[in-house]
Amino acid sequence: MNKRTFIKLCSAGVANPVVSPLLAWASGGKLTNWAGNLEYSTQQMHSAQSLEDVRKFVREHSKLKVLGTRHCFNDIADTSREFLSLKSQDRVIALDPKALTVTVEAGMTYGQLCPYLHEKGLALHNLASLPHISIAGACTTATHGSGDKNGNLSSVVSALEMVTASGEVLQLSRKEDGETFHGAVVGLGALGVITKVTLDIQPSYMMQQYVYENLPLKQLTEHFDAIEASGYSVSLFTDWQKERINELWIKSRMDSAHRFEAKPIFFGATLATKNLHGQRAAVGVLRSSPARHRCNSRRGKIA
Ligand SMILES: Cc1cc2nc3c(=O)[nH]c(=O)nc-3n(C[C@H](O)[C@H](O)[C@H](O)COP(=O)(O)OP(=O)(O)OC[C@H]3O[C@@H](n4cnc5c(N)ncnc54)[C@H](O)[C@@H]3O)c2cc1C
């Protein structure tokens, strides 16, 4: 390929950045969810590159569903009509370090936002197990993180912008709209197209993690609250064999007065002596702070 053709192809890609990511979602020519266990009932996928695009699309279509990053296992996001994707709208719109809020476009993922915040010494309070889910999709479905004192991901949403069925732009905030706002945050995609989300943030923090192996199931059922309360965030992984939890991950904030003090045995589980990788089905799923995790050979590694 000569230089001229190469430059031409590259600029075509830049001019239409949404096409290839959307095509990449089709498996064997069919549009499926991320896990591939659900084939959607339509292949009609449209992308909106701006708020005006969203408004126009909504006005022109009587039925549609927004597709986020396709991580729902069930058919909540499915439709036999039209899909609208905001995937290419993935910028940070505003960061207010004084008010400790960040406003992002609906297509942004946690994997994009967290490094951005971390660079600025800021962080979120909680995360789900995956970095590549969209913030809007995760919040509107009340995706949970971990830690018995941490709210789920929607709990830090402080404002929303959405396009309603009439194509109007609706701004809602915790401060101004009280119960109406609270009723709209977890809308399961039914109330409108979320175009922007504002989240509460906090100064960044470091995490320390200890990993235990082979927690007896009996210990977990008898001491569930104590085990869950042992860290800022606690995760359990099992392959459902031998009546035991394969891995227990206890994560503490290093700025906390109540850091987990690791003993060799914890409720019958054994402190890991080498780095482990969590590849098993999750019972209580991994949540990590956006801050870096300190790991060494005695402390298991974040997957
Ligand atoms: C491997 C894996 C790990 C997971 N881990 C966790 C976990 O730790 N904790 C947990 O609670 N859940 C977890 N989930 C579930 C996941 O967080 C949710 O399914 C979440 O909805 C994913 O967001 P999404 O953008 O991919 O949503 P999608 O599947 O794309 O859509 C879900 C719903 O949100 C709506 N929606 C998405 N974006 C918008 C928007 N901009 N405006 C309006 N509606 C919108 C859709 O219409 C649909 O109804 C996991 C899923 C997978 C596959």
Side-chain angles (χ1 to χ4, degrees):
M1 186 186 302
N2 67 30
K3 201 170 155 194
R4 190 179 291 267
T5 318
F6 177 75
I7 291 169
K8 244 178 157 177
L9 284 175
C10 288
S11 29
V14 170
N16 195 358
V18 180
V19 173
S20 46
L22 290 185
L23 289 178
W25 283 0
S27 137
K30 299 282 183 190
L31 190 62
T32 65
N33 70 348
W34 174 84
N37 66 310
L38 181 75
E39 191 181 299
Y40 295 125
S41 309
T42 181
Q43 308 301 310
Q44 299 296 325
M45 167 75 91
H46 305 265
S47 69
Q49 319 262 355
S50 66
L51 179 63
E52 275 319 303
D53 277 0
V54 174
R55 299 184 70 192
K56 185 167 180 288
F57 189 84
V58 170
R59 286 203 192 102
E60 288 170 357
H61 294 82
S62 58
K63 288 208 168 167
L64 67 109
K65 275 266 171 93
V66 181
L67 203 50
T69 36
R70 305 171 300 125
H71 273 70
C72 265
F73 303 106
N74 59 35
D75 59 3
I76 190 173
D78 197 14
T79 178
S80 56
R81 306 291 283 269
E82 318 281 336
F83 274 131
L84 183 64
S85 170
L86 279 65
K87 193 173 163 58
S88 63
Q89 296 183 47
D90 61 357
R91 290 171 308 151
V92 171
I93 300 293
L95 176 71
D96 187 338
K98 242 185 175 167
L100 286 172
T101 59
V102 64
T103 302
V104 301
E105 290 182 320
M108 181 168 246
T109 63
Y110 285 98
Q112 291 171 304
L113 178 61
C114 291
Y116 169 89
L117 290 177
H118 189 70
E119 256 181 26
K120 295 176 165 42
L122 297 163
L124 295 168
H125 79 304
N126 208 350
L127 288 174
S129 51
L130 293 182
H132 46 268
I133 51 175
S134 80
I135 295 167
C139 291
T140 199
T141 53
T143 293
H144 60 81
S146 175
D148 57 6
K149 294 194 172 52
N150 301 326
N152 72 29
L153 304 188
S154 72
S155 66
V156 293
V157 175
S158 62
L160 282 177
E161 177 187 271
M162 68 167 84
V163 174
T164 61
S166 61
E168 295 309 306
V169 180
L170 180 66
Q171 315 267 2
L172 291 173
S173 74
R174 189 195 286 146
K175 207 167 156 198
E176 304 289 329
D177 301 291
E179 290 303 301
T180 309
F181 169 76
H182 289 300
V185 176
V186 180
L188 306 176
L191 300 179
V193 181
I194 299 164
T195 45
K196 290 188 190 76
V197 185
T198 302
L199 305 173
D200 296 333
I201 49 179
Q202 54 182 278
S204 64
Y205 49 93
M206 299 292 281
M207 301 285 289
Q208 169 182 283
Q209 175 179 260
Y210 287 95
V211 174
Y212 284 85
E213 292 183 274
N214 301 318
L215 171 70
L217 201 52
K218 193 164 182 304
Q219 292 283 344
L220 179 66
T221 49
E222 283 173 9
H223 305 284
F224 184 80
D225 288 341
I227 292 169
E228 278 295 305
S230 60
Y232 180 77
S233 169
V234 175
S235 306
L236 302 157
F237 293 84
T238 185
D239 57 9
W240 306 105
Q241 308 292 311
K242 301 183 188 162
E243 306 260 308
R244 53 96 168 88
I245 300 295
N246 305 64
E247 290 179 25
L248 161 66
W249 300 359
I250 301 172
K251 290 148 274 171
S252 310
R253 282 177 64 141
M254 295 184 70
D255 57 0
S256 159
H258 308 289
R259 273 175 36 200
F260 179 71
E261 296 299 332
K263 301 205 169 74
I265 303 291
F266 181 71
F267 289 107
T270 314
L271 189 62
T273 53
K274 60 180 187 326
N275 284 345
L276 298 169
H277 188 74
Q279 291 173 317
R280 303 178 175 97
V283 173
V285 197
L286 166 69
R287 312 300 143 253
S288 56
S289 90
R292 292 210 182 99
H293 301 266
R294 203 174 76 179
C295 303
N296 64 25
S297 59
R298 289 195 69 227
R299 292 166 192 159
K301 199 175 175 183
I302 290 285

